[in-house]
Amino acid sequence: MLRSDQILATVEMIQKEHLDVRTVTMGINLLDCRGDTPTKTGALIMERIADRAGKFVTTCDFVSRKLGVPVVNKRIAITPISFVAGGYSPAEFVILAKALDEAAKAVGVDILGGFSAQVEKGMTDTDQAFLQSLPEALAVTERVCASINIGSSQKGINMDALAMVGHIVKDIAYESRTQNGFGAAKFVVFCNQPGDNPFMAGAIHGVEEAETVLNVGVSGPGVIARALERLIAARQSEGAPLSLDEIAEEIKQTTFRVTRCGELVGRQVSEMLGVSFGAVDLSLAPTPKVGDSVGEILHILGVDAIGAPGSTAIIALLNDAVKKGGIFAAKTVGGLSGAFIPVMEDAVLAEAVGKDELSLEKLEAMTSVCSVGLDMVAIPGSVDGDTIGAIIADEMAVGLINHKTTAVRIIPVPGMEAGDYVDFGGLFGASPVMAVRNVGKSSRFVKWGGRLPAPIHSFKN
Amino acid sequence: MNTQMIISVMSSDRPGIVADVSGAIFALGGDIADLNQSVLRGYLTMILMVNFDRPITPKTIIETIAAVQSSTTLDVMAREISKQPDIEDISLPAKTYIMTARGRNRKGLVHGVSAFCRRHDINILDLATTMADDRYTMVLQLDLSRVSSIVQVREQLMTLREETGLTIMLQHHDLFKVTNEIPF
């Protein structure tokens, strides 16, 4: 039998430290779901999702109960919709969005991702129609999440698409103005978007993937925070020194355990459903719950304000240690795999915005050493589309040059200004609106269009 | 004719008990197949399965071990076992779970939890309890092979929690294996 202290440590992680499997996401291929009319295509999509995911939620719940580990979210990712809807108009894209919403509801899934397009080099007419459909599609649906990949380290950044996207983000927020622009919380702009990311809102079932694949997202900032507190307290009571490399080691070992749980759950669910197991995404994804925060780890590791000098270095250490601990624990690793700093979804980060400790610029610096990017950032509704486009361009450039995924999920909250408080509830969280400096001063840059060239792949200094 | 004996020994703990007992068995021509020993608050208990390639009675074994020169009293029991153990069947059942129960110490906690297991036809494979600062902790390894509905057991556990005031968790053994062991 395992030692009692090992058993009790694992139980403690589940009971008190929010150890859970954050998401099990089923990726479903829709490439062959094409009917004579958009309505028929929608019906075929609904049929496909019902067929593949009919038992998905009950199976996840069964495995969760059997093992005694919570599986928080069950989600679906689909083939980027623009590949399925070639030639459709914006109104016809909205028909598909509604069908996807219905399909997700029918199988009991709260969020479905993949209302997406990939335009990193150029946009087809279909891609343009897709973009134009987004404000309405996200306002009339509840469960559908959208994304777009507008840059890659191989192709550069599509600045024509970027210029459009800045304004589309504003339009999406405006269309959902009665919900404080919530629609924009369901839309992510990517550079180097992975095709096997299980986390929303940016999950897609990449065209490189098999028919049906299960990806798992693990989490556990709370588990790591408590492990670090214990380590620090133990050393203090012994009067013994503690150094950063030992802290990194503790994070690695804790991540190992967390990841192994995700791997176990994912493999059992995929085996029961007869679906191939894709990858474990080794991410530290916070939730608005107290004690489940990445920001809290920064406090524990020595900065008294999130965004104070040292914050970027701590995030770098954390992100790297999470990968090192997780990679050994899982047979296949994919998705985003790193620490997330989604402002509204992390109570401590949100608080730092309210105290004026964390600025957009520092947040951007922190995203250069972790996944995923400027995530769940509420900004004043008055910020213009070109400025939003330029904020996105900066974040895309970070991903482009560093050969990593970066993303922007920014919400220009209609009618709100910096310091006002916006609350979307549930997992989407709440925070004060973050100030944007130098508004309206990037239009000349955004209007160039064309492509921001891909970086050279040598001389990496 | 082979004889298989199951032997148990209890004593105050001291260095040399295993050497003394195994020496007596060796002198009788016995071959120790399995041995498990544990020390609890200064008391040692040991259980052994021993093969003899000749007929031997439990009485002979008890007397031989009891005759060992020892500063502590060795309480010995021995019993012949007729059925050959199924060596293939030593792995844990697929429905092995770990239950942990923690709370303020009071009388009857072990009985409350073990009676719950009996009511649900759950076999206790291993059990360790500790007490520190009036906090009682039980860790049980359980075989739920005869349980048809884990959901029902979990529901009933809620009642047990209320009755005993214990914090009780029940998780599959695989979870602890993956979080604490590196596969090889």
Side-chain angles (χ1 to χ4, degrees), chain A residues 122-328:
Chain A
M123 271 189 294
T124 61
D125 293 347
T126 304
D127 295 329
Q128 300 217 23
F130 159 77
L131 265 178
Q132 286 158 11
S133 78
L134 284 174
E136 187 184 348
L138 292 175
V140 299
T141 58
E142 191 188 335
R143 295 160 198 249
V144 175
C145 280
S147 58
I148 190 165
N149 192 53
I150 60 166
S152 76
S153 297
Q154 281 71 40
K155 304 296 178 193
I157 301 172
N158 181 343
M159 294 297 288
D160 293 320
L162 181 126
M164 273 182 79
V165 164
H167 292 272
I168 293 285
V169 168
K170 276 209 75 151
D171 294 345
I172 294 171
Y174 181 76
E175 281 300 317
S176 54
R177 59 192 176 281
T178 54
Q179 297 169 279
N180 289 323
F182 178 61
K186 298 185 285 180
F187 176 57
V188 198
V189 188
F190 275 99
C191 178
N192 295 320
Q193 182 177 23
D196 57 357
N197 154 35
F199 287 101
M200 295 296 172
I204 55 168
H205 181 68
V207 286
E208 71 280 12
E209 296 286 326
E211 272 296 323
T212 315
V213 174
L214 218 67
N215 293 312
V216 168
V218 298
S219 185
V223 181
I224 289 183
R226 299 292 87 74
L228 292 174
E229 279 175 348
R230 272 197 298 271
L231 176 69
I232 293 166
R235 290 299 175 87
Q236 278 172 350
S237 73
E238 292 163 13
L242 178 64
S243 64
L244 270 184
D245 40 355
E246 290 172 284
I247 284 171
E249 185 61 25
E250 183 71 24
I251 297 170
K252 273 162 64 181
Q253 294 200 10
T254 310
T255 309
F256 175 86
R257 290 165 183 250
V258 173
T259 308
R260 295 271 285 165
C261 286
E263 170 98 4
L264 177 70
V265 169
R267 292 214 176 260
Q268 294 206 357
V269 172
S270 58
E271 199 173 299
M272 284 185 73
L273 289 171
V275 168
S276 59
F277 184 74
V280 178
D281 187 319
L282 316 168
S283 288
L284 273 191
T287 65
K289 274 189 288 194
V290 172
D292 201 21
S293 155
V294 171
E296 187 188 9
I297 299 175
L298 271 85
H299 280 316
I300 292 169
L301 292 187
V303 286
D304 298 328
I306 309 291
S311 300
T312 308
I314 293 174
I315 289 280
L317 174 145
L318 181 62
N319 199 56
D320 179 65
V322 164
K323 287 185 213 292
K324 284 174 178 163
I327 274 175
F328 183 50

Side-chain angles (χ1 to χ4, degrees), chain B residues 71-90:
Chain B
S71 57
T72 61
T73 309
L74 302 176
D75 293 323
V76 187
M77 282 177 66
R79 184 171 295 175
E80 187 174 346
I81 45 176
S82 50
K83 188 173 165 282
Q84 287 286 331
D86 186 356
I87 299 298
E88 294 298 312
D89 197 29
I90 55 167

